[in-house]
Amino acid sequence: MEIISELETEFKSEVVFDYEFDYVIIGSGPGGQNSAIQAANAGKTVAIIDKEINVGGHCVYYGTIPSKTLREAALAINKLKKFCNLFDFKMREDLEVQTLLSRLDDVLSAHNELIRKQLHKNNIEIFHGRASFIDRNHIQIYKMDGSKIVLRAKFIVIASGSSPRVPEDIYVDHEHILDSDSILNLIYIPQSLLILGSGVIACEYASTFALLGTKVTILEKYDRPLSFMDKELTDIYIEELESYGGEFRGNSVYKSVVWDGVSEVKIEIESNDEHKIRETLSAQKVLFALGRVANLDKLKLQNINIEITDRNLIKVDDNYKTNIDNIYAVGDVIGFPALASTSMEQGRLAVSHSLGLHIAKKFKDLPIGIYAIPELASIGLTEEQANSNYQKIYIGRAFFDEVARAQISGINAGLLKIITDEEMNILGVHIIGEDASNLIHIGEMAILNNNKATIFIENIMNFPTMAEAYRIATLDLLSNFKR
Amino acid sequence: MNSNTEIKLEKNLDTKLDLKLEFEKLLNSDNLKLPMLPEVSFKVINLINNPNSSLNDISAIIQQDQAIATHILRIANSAAFAPPTEIVSINQAISRLGFKLLSEIIISISLQLGIFNSKIFKNEMVYLWRFSLLTGLWAKRVSFHKKYNVEATFIGGLLHEIGKPILLNSLSKILNNIKYNEDEMNSLLNEYHLILSKKVMAEWNLPKLVSSITCNYNNLDECVEYKKEATIVYLAHQLAHYSLELHKSNDEKNHNSTNSTNSTNNANPMETIITLPQWAGLNYYRDEVEDLIAENDTVIQTLNSMVV
């Protein structure tokens, strides 16, 4: 890397800088990585800045990977329980969370190494520090030791991610009242856990802890969890949660959350209806999972007058460009769907646009995968959305107890649902059950290729596989079609 | 369980004592008997580790020990916990302090009255105790800001130099009425305490996390498991030094100002703390460390309320 000073005259600003790049990417999470690699592949000089020691994104290290590792442990234990007559299996009462996460350090370390290698291979410079804007072309990096350096860039992509929202009315002490960052630092599996919120993080942890034997209760203001998913799926999610001891309490608004100073956290709730009935619940631990906030506070965005939405997210256009020509924003900082997979694609598209590349197709249907137990996945319109957009829709369902592979594997709960229009064009696919997050991509490919639903019966699928659910659902769809 | 069990040691009759030799003899002695973890501490640590334990269990322990009950009442009434009304009963104190805090206080008191107690090395023990407790309290603060486990690092901090009071207690028999060099004694304690701490951890059968912190906080390069927690205790150890030095220098300043003499100490202890490379392992930025250090007065206030 070379210190550049003679190029300063190219910019109107007189800011003294240390290094210059074509692109500076703030954040090394999935959105940042893809932005950086896309720009580097186009032959541009690229720097990526991350405030964390490891590259890959805070969410990945404190959320995505640890929660999935714990989930795998819970599933493994559940399988052992099913064979308890063979193994004389009994779970230890003092089971430590860290014991279940014993593989985590290795997984995280491998992930960090992999991403570093990828970035180095593409000649992307990595800077460890906190980024803030001096102006639209200059970023200051505050390093750990308090020293500062300045980078100059033609284009800047903000991919700084998000953090758990810190509520004003609840003291999250990370001991009794936890957030999604601190929940996995628990020493022991709690006996009871109240979860405030019913978004992706809430539902994933709810089912994992419930399967590990914790008495889990989800409290949600509205009548169902994961409101952006197809209702039929969320109904099955609730049934499954209840089948291993969990509970979903909709229409409940928390009024106060207080550690009683003795042994429990007390939550006063009020019904979200005209009766406003109040009730006090208690649990050993509480997980506050009512949303995340974009990591914008240290960026000094006021120095560039970037436009912010009323939800404190960065406002972008269809190309992920902000109101400032050379600055783009992707991932959690722009809001929904805030998934790793979608952030990656947003990063690629944002940089492609800045490069003036023709983008063949902007994705309109985002696959969504939720790693609850069972998994939920979705692409396209929900039944409710399809009904309001189309005069006539058709639905085909395959319940997993009809799928041979599911029978063999002992998977009873699950549903694959295909929604089409009158021409059999696929409007949406929704799955709950084992491997849903993988299965959804078959539906996604069919939608992307404008296939009609009949493609699933006109082509061969291995037997027995879970993919066979597509064939069964399409046959069901056809029978409904004929009727 | 007898908390007064001490390491048996043959008394050296020479008046000119080779301290280093005595330390080595002590640690290599076949007669070396480690003290038991005070019974109350042992019970409480087990209660903390048992997810089924309740407040009644901890209440029962307090009721059995008059000394602890008295101290609990004093602490519950102290400024640090600012009770709205005077707390006069144990049950009131329990409600006020809560299970976890109460557990920490009981462990602290029982260790202080048991292992950190010596007639000969009274001042040294008081210092060691304040230092250990301060390390535990700082460990909680360091953990909290990065959302690490606050319970385990507190106990780890509290016990991280447990070898020192045990060594002092063991040496007290031979050092009675014998002059020794204090600097040499401190240097030897620093050199040997970890060996004894490791033996004690193995003997006491504490949770792996706690024993790992205690054994590795001073040797982070070799630490494989629970490195972050061990780093937290290392940094808390440094912060505890800083707090006590600051306290001392404030006292000296007050004393000097009355004597119209100025202190000429040019070292900047805060800068020394801030620039410790171990902060990087926890991703603590300089301004975050500065904010943490600013909590010193609160931590000292809590310390003063918990010292018996």
Side-chain angles (χ1 to χ4, degrees), chain A residues 50-54 62 93-94 96 98 105 128-130 142-147 164 171-176 179 181-182 185-189 191 259-263 284-285 298, chain B residues 48-53 55 94-101 104 140-141 144 146-152 207-209 224 226 228-229 279-288 290:
Chain A
D50 204 297
K51 64 178 181 173
E52 298 293 327
I53 302 167
N54 291 322
Y62 292 87
E93 282 184 358
D94 61 346
E96 294 183 26
Q98 292 307 314
D105 281 347
H128 178 207
R130 278 199 316 242
Y142 180 89
K143 298 172 89 173
M144 297 211 74
D145 61 3
S147 61
Y171 176 59
V172 179
D173 59 9
H174 305 299
E175 191 173 354
H176 314 101
D179 65 20
D181 281 352
S182 55
N185 280 324
L186 284 173
I187 300 185
Y188 299 100
I189 303 288
Q191 284 181 303
W259 159 243
D260 72 355
V262 183
S263 58
Q284 212 177 32
K285 305 280 178 187
K298 306 275 185 190
Chain B
I48 294 172
N49 291 345
N50 181 359
N52 297 319
S53 58
L55 209 62
I94 289 169
S95 302
R96 182 77 204 156
L97 300 172
F99 183 89
K100 286 282 157 49
L101 184 56
E104 289 167 5
K140 278 184 81 164
R141 298 311 302 159
F144 175 80
K146 289 291 170 183
K147 304 181 182 181
Y148 292 119
N149 192 293
V150 289
E151 307 162 52
K208 201 175 172 188
L209 174 57
V224 181
Y226 305 115
K228 277 183 182 155
E229 289 80 358
W279 291 114
L282 303 175
N283 210 38
Y284 257 97
Y285 282 72
R286 184 187 169 97
D287 54 358
E288 292 172 330
E290 286 167 354

Side-chain angles (χ1 to χ4, degrees), chain A residues 7-24:
Chain A
L7 294 180
E8 273 186 66
T9 48
E10 286 180 23
F11 293 86
K12 285 177 186 169
S13 163
E14 291 178 357
V15 174
V16 177
F17 61 93
D18 299 291
Y19 305 105
E20 182 171 22
F21 295 90
D22 294 321
Y23 283 77
V24 165

